[in-house]
Amino acid sequence: MAEVSLRKLRKTYGAVVAVEGVDLEIAKGELIVLLGPSGCGKSTTLRMVAGLETISAGELHIGGRNVTTLEPKDRDIAMVFQNYALYPHKTIRGNMSFGLKMRGMKGGEISRRVDAAAEMLDITHLLNRKPGQLSGGQMQRVALGRALVRDPAVFLLDEPLSNLDAKLRSRMREEIALLQRRIGKAMLYVTHDQTEAMTLADRIVIMRDGHVQQIGSPLEVYDRP
Ligand code: ADP
Ligand code: ADP
């Protein structure tokens, strides 16, 4: 059974149709990349899965449950944003703990999860610092760590590497690929970068004008002589 199922998802803003008839199933352990030019509806699709945009028509199922109208907090997801979205006045440990604390998790369990995620992402030495003392690459690791501690069924990543320089981008790309293999969750990853899509995706979904134009493995999608 698919971990995530998008069924004829549609989003309109007044007369503007941003997304139309998007059908997609994501299996556990599968990394799907939404790829396409600016304005094609990638971000809107991701945000509908996250619950950050309402769904105008269609249905969304996560873990076999219809979550079409549920709040973000009631969906089994965690999101990683391009701009990291860290709290500047909290330490890295504070940033990674906050969401769990809000959910009423016990301190011991929170520490255990934060320590494990920090180790996996090699940021243990940064836990007592504040975001302002970190490089862009380090902040992106923290953003990944904050999603990881939630242990969600689905990870949603919106252009996570766009603010990094080319060298760091290729390194983080490899690390995300490794992380994905290791945790084996469903991932939906938005980018306009073809290299990212080619190296990361199990399947690439090419979007154009709010529609899915093509779905396939990187080889199927880019079978060029
Ligand atoms: P992408 O992520 O592929 O760049 P978006 O999902 O952001 O594309 O946008 C898809 C379309 O929806 C675009 O035409 C965009 O202008 C429109 N759109 C996105 N958000 C809004 C909004 N809040 N109000 C009106 N139109 C929007
Ligand atoms: P939390 O960090 O647990 O999400 P917040 O109060 O900081 O708690 O978040 C407010 C809303 O934003 C919640 O509905 C939450 O689901 C969503 N949110 C915040 N950060 C993330 C994230 N990294 N991934 C997914 N959703 C998030």
Side-chain angles (χ1 to χ4, degrees):
M1 188 194 60
E3 189 78 315
V4 189
S5 171
L6 289 68
R7 304 182 187 168
K8 303 243 175 313
L9 283 197
R10 177 181 162 92
K11 178 68 183 181
T12 51
Y13 296 101
V16 177
V17 181
V19 170
E20 172 86 299
V22 169
D23 277 314
L24 178 65
E25 306 231 301
I26 312 175
K28 200 165 182 233
E30 189 176 33
L31 195 160
I32 299 265
V33 171
L34 296 183
L35 179 69
S38 179
C40 71
K42 308 180 294 291
S43 192
T44 302
T45 301
L46 190 83
R47 292 170 61 82
M48 283 194 281
V49 177
L52 300 172
E53 298 282 354
T54 58
I55 292 169
S56 304
E59 278 189 9
L60 175 71
H61 293 241
I62 296 178
R65 205 159 63 107
N66 186 343
V67 300
T68 309
T69 59
L70 296 188
E71 300 276 314
K73 67 176 171 52
D74 298 321
R75 303 178 180 201
D76 197 3
I77 55 116
M79 183 137 165
V80 176
F81 299 94
Q82 180 179 349
N83 299 320
Y84 322 123
L86 302 180
Y87 298 104
H89 303 297
K90 288 186 199 292
T91 62
I92 299 312
R93 181 179 288 282
N95 268 281
M96 289 172 68
S97 305
F98 185 72
L100 302 180
K101 218 181 260 177
M102 289 292 106
R103 284 174 164 72
M105 190 179 285
K106 293 258 187 337
E109 173 66 8
I110 294 177
S111 299
R112 200 187 58 73
R113 286 191 183 201
V114 170
D115 290 341
E119 198 187 322
M120 201 182 287
L121 290 158
D122 197 19
I123 53 174
T124 303
H125 60 298
L126 304 175
L127 285 174
N128 293 324
R129 297 198 198 163
K130 301 248 172 95
Q133 300 168 279
L134 270 50
S135 69
Q138 290 173 332
M139 283 199 277
Q140 194 50 272
R141 282 167 203 271
V142 174
L144 282 168
R146 192 177 47 180
L148 208 55
V149 295
R150 302 257 296 264
D151 192 27
V154 188
F155 284 85
L156 305 172
L157 300 97
D158 194 359
E159 303 262 6
L161 306 184
S162 297
N163 283 343
L164 304 178
D165 64 46
K167 196 170 153 207
L168 200 52
R169 201 153 59 224
S170 86
R171 197 168 125 201
M172 288 300 293
R173 212 163 55 214
E174 314 245 308
E175 293 201 13
I176 289 176
L178 277 175
L179 190 68
Q180 161 71 357
R181 307 263 131 73
R182 191 154 163 201
I183 62 180
K185 299 298 182 85
M187 277 200 190
L188 186 58
Y189 186 113
V190 163
T191 184
H192 60 268
D193 183 318
Q194 191 176 313
T195 309
E196 252 169 75
M198 291 284 288
T199 50
L200 279 173
D202 294 309
R203 285 189 297 153
I204 298 174
V205 175
I206 298 190
M207 291 190 71
R208 196 157 306 264
D209 298 331
H211 292 81
V212 171
Q213 191 178 50
Q214 200 184 350
I215 302 185
S217 69
L219 275 177
E220 286 164 348
V221 170
Y222 289 107
D223 184 21
R224 299 221 174 104

